Amino acid sequence: MNNIAVRCKGVTKSYGVGETQVRALRGVDLEIKTGEMMMLVGPSGSGKTTLISIIAGVLERDEGECLVFGHDYKHVSHWEKARFRGQNIGFVFQLFNLIPTLSAAENVAAPLLINGLKRSDALESARDILNRVGMGDRTYSLPRELSGGQQQRVAIARAMVHSPKLIVCDEPTSALDHETGHKVMELLHEVVVGVERALIVVTHDSRIFEFANRIARMDDGHIISVSDSRDFRLS
Amino acid sequence: MNFIALKMLIGDRAKYLGIIMGLTFASLLITQQSAIFLGLMTRTFAFLTDTGYPDIWVMDPKVQYTDDLKPLKETEFLRVRGVEGVAWAVPMYKGLLKARLPNGTFQTCNVIGLDDETLIGGPPQMIQGQLSDLRRSDAIIVDSFSIMDKLAKVMPDGKRVPLKIGDTMELNDHRAVVVGICKATRPFQSQPVIYTTYSRATIFAPRERKLMSFVLVKAKPGMDINTMCNRIQATTGLAAYTWNEFKILTVRYFMKYTGIPVNFGVTVILGFIVGVAIAGQTFYNFTQDNLRYFGTLKAMGASDGMLLRMILLQAAMVGSIGYGIGVGAASVFGTLSGNTELSFRLPWQLLAASATAVTLICAASAALSMWKVVRLEPAIVFKS
């Protein structure tokens, strides 16, 4: 039981009310283990982004249960929820979301600063982690001075700088060409996946399925199958 | 997080400068126009500023301000002198008389006639000559601004030669000799200020039955000034004001019966609105443009309080810079206009009021942005 990172049971979520109501999740059950990279795939509107938003604690679920490392967001204050996210969750976004006026190191240092670390210590840790993702020579560069692949590397460094237990990636390769996307996934696989950490990746990009341990297919607010990466690709 | 807030702000140069320019302009307009207004109001009682020695000013009850002259009978000052508690009482003449300059032009002057014996009510500072020189024949003392400006001799080649001691002029067709130059506060209408003795002023003045403008009174040591005012009013039927009361009476008249406060008030309000419109709008746009990044920080664990502090810091920074530049520019303007006709007065109270106005503008701007950030769903970060 201890190796379960995320456990969702019967999670539902609707947007809007009355006739315009959209049921984004219609009772999702999902388990993600520590040390694994789980990919969520499915057509647009199938509920992938809603599900990772709920798992990441940035969106409230309507019903069901969702525990992240045993923590339930439902019964905690906004402040506690933010604190939990700050300490335990890392984010990698489709459009990187690097603050354009901050250097690479400053962007990477942001989660540490949010957690109350001193600026000098945070920047030092940021430089170390940038070295690990092969961006040690671009620590002072602004995002606009970096290529898409380099920006995503910085974003990955930012997602793992505070050693979170869960990293949530939303379409991490969709803004990148095939080769760069592949390198980014290699990096995520090599550097980020660890015994104590789980990764959940939302993607449409079938070329990166090989990096997943398991793949969950979603459609119309349900998880319709969860299979090993190899089985999934064969099917 | 403070340095992230500041780098986010400064990094967007165009908006950063736009917000600062808006606040600078607002601060400059509010401070400069209010300072000119205050300067003008100060000039309305310039005559009182230069005559601080008497405790009580006695005048006709219908007088509404310092230049609203309703002459008294000369015997009135003897009645005032007889009121119990009065240490001394002296007459004073004040009136607008025409001076004929050597080149033939006329200039209306503010002529002040001082008690012949004591010369009480004289100018606060002599630059050349002595106050007692007024006892010489046809003597007058002229203020230092006018000798170089309105009373200066204009030579045939157009060059202006300052009036000096020994020069003569005609005051209402009477010969007057300059025996001294004094420093005097510029009056509201910027006329030259001329001091002479009371008896000579009544010769210069057009012949009228009553010529005495005020009675200046000093109370005996230990006497309560307000009690003395009431006593003089009750005994003589004249109005008696302390220096401060007469000053307030004058300022109130100008505030109530002239369009000056409204005109300046409109400009100051305009400055405030411009500040809110430009700085507020630009600051709001800045937050709006950075909403995705605020959302990212929020998703990464930044609390609402943390983000609000960031916005407040940004608002405080642009507010301080805008206020500093605006007030600095207003001060430079005031310094440069120091020796001109323009009135300018910038006391600390006005600086504080201006700072309050800029703070309000920043608070309004920040409130809009804060509202937006607090309502922001961190899930926005997953929308492409």
Side-chain angles (χ1 to χ4, degrees):
Chain A
M1 287 297 284
N2 283 341
N3 65 343
I4 301 297
V6 178
R7 171 176 288 154
C8 293
K9 211 168 184 181
V11 173
T12 65
K13 176 70 186 177
S14 299
Y15 298 107
V17 284
E19 286 182 9
T20 58
Q21 190 180 53
V22 176
R23 295 182 66 194
L25 298 180
R26 298 163 184 256
V28 169
D29 298 331
L30 180 70
E31 269 190 8
I32 304 169
K33 299 186 184 82
T34 52
E36 83 169 341
M37 181 190 284
M38 165 73 83
M39 281 189 189
L40 278 180
V41 300
S44 295
S46 59
K48 305 183 298 290
T49 302
T50 301
L51 181 58
I52 59 159
S53 297
I54 288 171
I55 291 171
V58 292
L59 193 65
E60 295 265 345
R61 64 182 187 268
D62 292 339
E63 288 167 11
E65 186 184 88
C66 187
L67 298 176
V68 177
F69 290 97
H71 177 92
D72 188 356
Y73 298 112
K74 195 79 175 177
H75 306 292
V76 296
S77 66
H78 281 291
W79 185 82
E80 280 176 287
K81 208 186 284 181
R83 191 156 163 251
F84 181 82
R85 284 200 307 267
Q87 290 172 347
N88 297 291
I89 297 179
F91 293 88
V92 178
F93 305 104
Q94 183 179 358
L95 296 176
F96 327 125
N97 285 14
L98 299 175
I99 298 173
T101 52
L102 301 185
S103 69
E106 288 163 346
N107 265 295
V108 173
L112 297 174
L113 295 168
I114 289 170
N115 284 320
L117 211 69
K118 263 174 59 187
R119 185 181 160 189
S120 54
D121 295 343
L123 286 172
E124 198 180 318
S125 299
R127 281 192 281 270
D128 286 347
I129 206 99
L130 280 169
N131 273 326
R132 280 181 65 193
V133 298
M135 293 291 292
D137 56 338
R138 305 305 298 268
T139 54
Y140 297 106
S141 301
L142 293 173
R144 66 166 180 271
E145 295 160 355
L146 303 174
S147 68
Q150 288 173 322
Q151 287 192 53
Q152 199 58 299
R153 278 169 181 267
V154 174
I156 290 167
R158 181 177 65 181
M160 53 189 272
V161 70
H162 54 305
S163 308
K165 291 178 180 170
L166 175 69
I167 292 184
V168 177
C169 308
D170 182 35
E171 306 269 8
T173 58
S174 69
L176 309 173
D177 59 62
H178 173 60
E179 194 185 330
T180 314
H182 207 268
K183 281 182 181 167
V184 162
M185 286 313 295
E186 274 176 357
L187 180 73
L188 270 174
H189 200 259
E190 285 166 23
V191 182
V192 182
V193 177
V195 189
E196 299 295 324
R197 186 181 289 149
L199 246 87
I200 181 162
V201 179
V202 165
T203 186
H204 278 108
D205 189 352
S206 58
R207 295 167 305 186
I208 64 168
F209 288 170
E210 63 186 281
F211 292 96
N213 297 102
R214 289 192 300 152
I215 296 174
R217 187 194 289 275
M218 287 192 76
D219 195 14
D220 199 21
H222 295 284
I223 289 188
I224 52 174
S225 68
V226 179
S227 47
D228 284 345
S229 159
R230 193 163 169 275
D231 297 342
F232 184 87
R233 279 181 288 145
L234 286 173
S235 70
Chain B
M1 295 302 284
N2 290 352
F3 97 97
I4 290 186
L6 296 181
K7 283 200 91 169
M8 279 173 83
L9 175 71
I10 296 166
D12 191 344
R13 285 284 159 79
K15 286 207 174 60
Y16 175 58
L17 293 177
I19 300 167
I20 286 183
M21 271 182 68
L23 288 170
T24 300
F25 192 58
S27 168
L28 173 65
L29 259 185
I30 293 169
T31 311
Q32 187 228 35
Q33 290 297 305
S34 303
I36 293 174
F37 171 69
L38 264 187
L40 270 180
M41 284 297 110
T42 307
R43 284 188 181 183
T44 61
F45 56 86
F47 165 59
L48 291 177
T49 307
D50 291 346
T51 320
Y53 187 46
D55 292 330
I56 299 166
W57 292 72
V58 181
M59 64 204 78
D60 186 279
K62 299 289 182 196
V63 168
Q64 299 178 83
Y65 60 101
T66 53
D67 290 330
D68 180 29
L69 303 167
K70 297 189 168 60
L72 307 166
K73 284 190 283 185
E74 292 199 8
T75 50
E76 296 289 8
F77 94 90
L78 296 172
R79 291 180 65 205
V80 173
R81 193 178 273 178
V83 175
E84 191 189 336
V86 170
W88 49 255
V90 293
M92 176 178 258
Y93 170 87
K94 185 175 186 298
L96 293 173
L97 301 180
K98 273 185 186 169
R100 185 175 180 166
L101 305 179
N103 65 353
T105 58
F106 288 92
Q107 171 66 52
T108 305
C109 300
N110 216 330
V111 176
I112 298 165
L114 312 175
D115 176 49
D116 291 51
E117 289 173 35
T118 61
L119 299 179
I120 283 170
Q125 190 187 340
M126 291 298 296
I127 295 172
Q128 287 177 43
Q130 290 181 334
L131 186 60
S132 56
D133 290 339
L134 280 183
R135 296 203 170 93
R136 286 158 57 184
S137 173
D138 301 332
I140 57 168
I141 292 172
V142 185
D143 79 277
S144 56
F145 292 118
S146 307
I147 58 163
M148 290 184 284
D149 182 22
K150 288 181 175 161
L151 295 180
K153 284 187 276 188
V154 183
M155 305 309 282
D157 59 357
K159 202 175 159 190
R160 296 177 88 85
V161 178
L163 206 64
K164 59 181 188 304
I165 289 180
D167 285 349
T168 58
M169 64 165 81
E170 281 181 23
L171 266 176
N172 211 14
D173 291 335
H174 295 274
R175 181 175 179 269
V177 182
V178 178
V179 297
I181 312 289
C182 70
K183 199 162 189 177
T185 309
R186 276 179 195 253
F188 184 67
Q189 294 178 60
S190 293
Q191 306 105 331
V193 179
I194 292 177
Y195 286 93
T196 186
T197 58
Y198 179 82
S199 57
R200 195 171 301 120
T202 56
I203 294 169
F204 290 149
R207 184 66 14 218
E208 284 181 55
R209 199 164 61 86
K210 296 189 269 186
L211 283 167
M212 187 173 68
S213 309
F214 304 105
V215 180
L216 309 185
V217 175
K218 190 80 178 173
K220 282 182 180 166
M223 292 299 298
D224 179 63
I225 306 298
N226 289 317
T227 310
M228 283 300 301
C229 286
N230 293 337
R231 195 178 289 167
I232 291 168
Q233 280 176 21
T235 311
T236 63
L238 300 172
Y241 301 114
T242 63
W243 184 91
N244 201 45
E245 284 171 345
F246 194 19
K247 183 183 93 174
I248 291 169
L249 188 77
T250 300
V251 171
R252 275 198 186 143
Y253 173 86
F254 278 89
M255 295 286 277
K256 193 172 175 184
Y257 295 107
T258 68
I260 298 169
V262 176
N263 290 335
F264 280 93
V266 165
T267 314
V268 169
I269 291 169
L270 204 64
F272 189 82
I273 292 170
V274 165
V276 171
I278 297 180
Q281 175 76 28
T282 318
F283 193 78
Y284 180 73
N285 284 348
F286 162 77
T287 310
Q288 188 77 13
D289 289 353
N290 282 287
L291 222 46
R292 167 170 285 272
Y293 307 112
F294 281 118
T296 303
L297 293 172
K298 209 167 181 172
M300 291 193 306
S303 63
D304 283 341
M306 210 177 264
L307 297 177
L308 296 188
R309 280 196 297 277
M310 285 174 73
I311 291 174
L312 279 177
L313 177 69
Q314 290 167 339
M317 166 125 171
V318 288
S320 308
I321 295 174
Y323 171 74
I325 299 174
V327 163
S331 303
V332 168
F333 174 85
T335 308
L336 293 178
S337 62
N339 286 324
T340 66
E341 292 283 326
L342 200 73
S343 60
F344 193 89
R345 195 169 140 76
L346 190 58
W348 70 266
Q349 291 92 337
L350 182 53
L351 292 175
S354 178
T356 307
V358 173
T359 304
L360 279 176
I361 294 172
C362 290
S365 314
L368 271 177
S369 300
M370 283 155 77
W371 179 74
K372 196 84 187 169
V373 167
V374 167
R375 283 171 54 95
L376 180 69
E377 279 285 347
I380 187 182
V381 291
F382 290 122
K383 288 178 185 157
S384 52

